Amino acid sequence: MRLLSSASNRVVLTLVTLAIGSLLLGDFASVQANRIVPGSGFGLFAALGSAWAVALLAALVTLAALALHPSPAGYRGMLLLISLLLLQWPASLAWFIHTQIPADQAQARAGLATGCWSLLFFALLLLIEVRQRLAPAAGWWRLGPLGLLLVTGLLIYSGYLEPLALLREYSSRSAQFWQALRGHLGLVGGALGFSLLFGVALALLIRRQPQLQRSVFGVLNFFQTIPSLALFGLLIAPLSYLAAHSPLLQQLGIRGIGWAPALLALVAYSLLPIVRNTSVALQAVAAEVIESARGMGMSPWQVFSQVRLPLALPVILEGMRITSIQAIGLTAVAALIGAEGFGSFIFQGLGQGAMDLVLLGALPTIVLALLADALFSALARYFQPGVG
Amino acid sequence: MTAGLSGLRPWLAPLAWSLLLLAAVLGMAELEALFRQIQPGTGAVIYQRDSFAQLLLNHLLIVGVAALVSVSLGVAAGILATRAWGRDFLPLVSQVASIGQTFPPVAVLALAVPLLGFGSLPTIVALVLYGLLPVLRNTLAGLQGVPPAVLEAAQGMGMAPRQVLFEVELPLAAAVIFAGIRTTVTVTIATAAIGSTIGASTLGDPVIAGLVNGNTAYVLQGALLIGLLAVSVDSGFERLQQLIAERQGL
């Protein structure tokens, strides 16, 4: 296990300094008596009590000390400390709630302030930094983030985090939340499905008729240039006109606003990554490979399904990764034209000035995008030729 | 005269789009009859709260400030992380740049409100944060793509580190960096339009007002102008990109 340099790790030192600074200068968490009144902030020591606060700071200072003369053992120690920082994060919130919010106040809610957010943020950056210094990567770096999710899940399940503002917002509209998730995933899935269908067809068409390539990519690039709000807006008038004049479209539930213009725009945006990656992937398969497959007596269909497609799959999956991340963000915007999804919480919250409701929409949108990223990256790795 | 015109020819697309945008901004009111057909039975069919020219200027100002800051920060961070004394930060910076691009722009915009409140400033901050990533990523890719042999040759010729950076590395990376700038500006224009929902005055205003009041004519006016603005700017960037490619080809 060789390390890049024996000099002190300035990245860790910088991150630790920033983390300590934001913990000491900003509020750690806040308490609101109800949804309307402004909250009062608690500094680190006031929020967690001196024992917890000092332990937290001591862990950070130890991290910095280890980073002064890093050794392989030192990096393992840092990883351990970072994992502990992540594990204690939800627990510290539960402790804050336990000590500051009386159980009989059903309206009181706890909010996360800058200190709390930046501790999480810098701990994750430290994890990224320290993980890649431990080469070959120590598999147990996952322990911290997985433990964070597990402990958070347990604390939510057991009710200790219930007074958290985000969860108060959730519990007053849990049915809507799951409906928003279904709506969001439905639109993204629909966009992915349709764009895969049309995209692969277009890519095959371009392979047959290369003179079409310029115009197809010209049109698809043009769509990508149009801002989402504009494309959604431009689709409303023609779709309402069509729906008003066609009973069939009305029966299908197609209107000027809602899922129809959203899906149409999402497919328009999704086509470019799919067509581009599919045609690149199909072209990239070496001519010799195809030649030898034919030489083995494979039919054209066999060459396509057994040679071309498996070799192209990782690149196509990368296209689907880009498409799904993009579609998850755009579906949130589509809430403005009445499509279902987490965007409706964001824009409702912005309209009412209810920041916790904004978070209830924004955080799941980000989580969905990160999950899609992880899922399609893992699939692309799995189908990488020679590995799977 | 003919030489002058043929020199203008490659600029035809950006010029035509910009003129169309200008015509739409100044002449939208002339289309009242058309919009009345789209939105019959409503008092006002032309958005009046601000003039379209004012909204366009605001939009351009917000995009201009945000793009300028994110391009300067992104290029500077990319340069620093690839110098000898900043190289420690390179792995972290490049991983954060790629993870950050997974975050949906609208979520970043929404998260700016609890931290900074409503208005143009939080919009600009969110746009800067989000716009940083494509520039940063492409700057890193461009600078790291310079062949080591070229760098060694430049050092061997006795060039100072500063000279190597400005006369060798940046010119060679220019095309890739510029592609990042183009992505950043495109995303910034689109996200600034959504900034209307957090209190920034942009061309998104008529769209949002129209959606809230069920006035399709307003929506159409805003959407048309946002689309024309994006296409004008993008075709200008495309032309500049061609120029850089031509210069590098020589």
Side-chain angles (χ1 to χ4, degrees):
Chain A
M1 202 182 288
R2 258 175 57 82
L3 287 159
L4 298 173
S5 80
S6 59
S8 54
N9 186 322
R10 290 179 299 153
V11 183
V12 171
L13 288 176
T14 314
L15 291 174
V16 168
T17 313
L18 290 172
I20 292 180
S22 55
L23 275 178
L24 291 181
L25 296 178
D27 280 341
F28 186 78
S30 65
V31 171
Q32 273 176 288
N34 55 52
R35 192 175 183 221
I36 316 295
V37 299
S40 53
F42 285 72
L44 176 66
F45 283 82
L48 297 181
S50 339
W52 198 307
V54 167
L56 205 57
L57 292 173
L60 285 167
V61 171
T62 315
L63 253 174
L66 285 173
L68 281 177
H69 301 287
S71 62
Y75 274 117
R76 283 196 293 276
M78 283 187 233
L79 190 52
L80 182 68
L81 280 172
I82 296 166
S83 306
L84 287 175
L85 279 177
L86 287 172
L87 283 176
Q88 66 85 42
W89 191 79
S92 73
L93 278 176
W95 174 246
F96 171 70
I97 287 168
H98 176 73
T99 50
Q100 301 298 341
I101 295 188
D104 58 336
Q105 289 193 19
Q107 290 301 312
R109 44 173 66 201
L112 283 64
T114 33
C116 202
W117 284 121
S118 45
L119 180 62
L120 182 63
F121 176 69
F122 288 116
L124 289 173
L125 288 186
L126 282 165
L127 183 70
I128 295 175
E129 166 63 20
V130 167
R131 180 192 66 165
Q132 47 98 17
R133 300 283 166 191
L134 278 167
W140 56 279
W141 68 267
R142 293 183 185 83
L143 229 58
L146 288 179
L148 170 75
L149 293 179
L150 190 72
V151 174
T152 311
L154 278 175
L155 287 172
I156 291 176
Y157 182 73
S158 58
Y160 283 108
L161 289 179
E162 203 184 297
L164 212 58
L166 195 62
L167 290 177
R168 288 253 199 261
E169 290 294 334
Y170 164 78
S171 57
S172 63
R173 48 176 69 75
S174 58
Q176 281 165 280
F177 183 87
W178 295 106
Q179 198 181 346
L181 178 65
R182 276 196 299 276
H184 210 112
L185 289 179
L187 265 178
V188 172
L192 211 56
F194 278 115
S195 58
L196 206 57
L197 200 70
F198 296 132
V200 172
L202 270 175
L204 292 175
L205 183 72
I206 288 174
R207 249 173 56 76
R208 286 278 164 81
Q209 317 249 306
Q211 72 274 18
L212 286 177
Q213 180 160 358
R214 251 183 85 89
S215 37
V216 168
F217 278 111
V219 171
L220 296 184
N221 263 316
F222 184 78
F223 280 136
Q224 287 275 333
T225 315
I226 309 283
S228 51
L229 194 62
L231 192 53
F232 289 141
L234 290 174
L235 285 171
I236 292 179
L239 273 177
S240 348
Y241 179 82
L242 286 177
H245 291 82
S246 155
L248 177 69
L249 290 182
Q250 280 169 12
Q251 274 178 3
L252 287 171
I254 291 176
R255 290 182 303 145
I257 57 168
W259 62 268
L263 187 62
L264 215 55
L266 286 176
V267 172
Y269 284 122
S270 303
L271 278 174
L272 182 68
I274 300 274
V275 175
R276 189 177 48 202
N277 280 38
T278 309
S279 53
V280 165
L282 291 178
Q283 274 161 16
V285 178
E288 306 92 78
V289 178
I290 304 296
E291 207 50 47
S292 62
R294 285 204 189 112
M296 287 163 66
M298 282 185 169
S299 69
W301 168 248
Q302 280 176 319
V303 171
F304 178 79
S305 65
Q306 293 179 20
V307 181
R308 252 186 218 283
L309 199 60
L311 286 175
L313 203 54
V315 188
I316 298 177
L317 282 168
E318 166 65 14
M320 290 174 71
R321 184 186 73 86
I322 299 172
T323 292
S324 59
I325 291 174
Q326 188 180 256
I328 286 168
L330 292 172
T331 299
V333 180
L336 286 171
I337 56 165
E340 276 188 342
F342 288 121
S344 54
F345 292 148
I346 297 181
F347 295 116
Q348 265 177 43
L350 289 174
Q352 303 170 3
M355 290 312 128
D356 303 320
L357 190 51
V358 174
L359 284 183
L360 189 66
L363 293 181
T365 310
I366 293 174
V367 170
L368 277 186
L370 290 174
L371 284 179
D373 180 45
L375 174 71
F376 284 107
S377 304
L379 280 177
R381 268 199 306 277
Y382 180 77
F383 286 110
Q384 200 75 47
V387 178
Chain B
M1 187 62 201
T2 37
L5 274 181
S6 68
L8 212 66
R9 220 192 125 101
W11 291 97
L12 210 59
L15 244 128
W17 284 116
S18 312
L19 284 176
L20 206 56
L21 170 67
L22 207 65
V25 164
L26 298 176
M28 195 67 88
E30 310 297 324
L31 299 174
E32 191 171 344
L34 178 72
F35 285 117
R36 203 163 282 290
Q37 291 227 314
I38 294 169
Q39 186 70 32
T42 311
V45 290
I46 301 288
Y47 186 75
Q48 302 282 359
R49 202 175 303 155
D50 287 295
S51 73
F52 290 116
Q54 185 64 51
L55 291 175
L56 175 65
L57 275 180
N58 289 350
H59 202 121
L60 282 175
L61 195 68
I62 288 176
V63 170
V65 172
L68 206 66
V69 177
S70 50
V71 167
S72 340
L73 285 180
V75 172
I79 290 174
L80 290 182
T82 49
R83 300 307 97 187
W85 44 272
R87 208 170 280 273
D88 286 356
F89 288 83
L90 182 59
L92 182 69
V93 169
S94 57
Q95 285 210 34
V96 169
S98 71
I99 296 173
Q101 275 187 317
T102 319
F103 283 51
V106 61
V108 177
L109 199 62
L111 289 182
V113 179
L115 296 175
L116 299 162
F118 286 89
S120 295
L121 185 71
T123 307
I124 290 177
V125 172
L127 293 178
V128 166
L129 281 180
Y130 199 76
L132 249 173
L133 304 174
V135 182
L136 178 57
R137 214 178 166 182
N138 280 35
T139 306
L140 290 175
L143 290 176
Q144 288 179 304
V146 177
V150 174
L151 291 181
E152 275 168 37
Q155 281 156 4
M157 283 166 64
M159 286 175 115
R162 172 189 282 272
Q163 274 179 310
V164 176
L165 173 65
F166 283 103
E167 289 166 29
V168 179
E169 288 182 84
L170 283 179
L172 282 177
V176 181
I177 297 178
F178 199 76
I181 296 178
R182 183 178 172 185
T183 310
T184 288
V185 172
T186 306
V187 175
T188 308
I189 290 178
T191 315
I194 305 171
S196 281
T197 58
I198 69 164
S201 157
T202 68
L203 286 173
D205 285 9
V207 181
I208 304 296
L211 288 171
V212 171
N213 303 318
N215 190 327
T216 311
Y218 285 1
V219 176
L220 216 52
Q221 289 152 21
L224 202 66
L225 294 178
I226 298 168
L228 282 174
L229 173 63
V231 174
S232 308
V233 173
D234 193 66
S235 65
F237 268 100
E238 190 174 2
R239 178 64 199 133
L240 289 174
Q241 236 174 345
Q242 284 166 0
L243 282 181
I244 291 180
E246 278 166 24
R247 214 187 54 189
Q248 283 197 328
L250 284 176

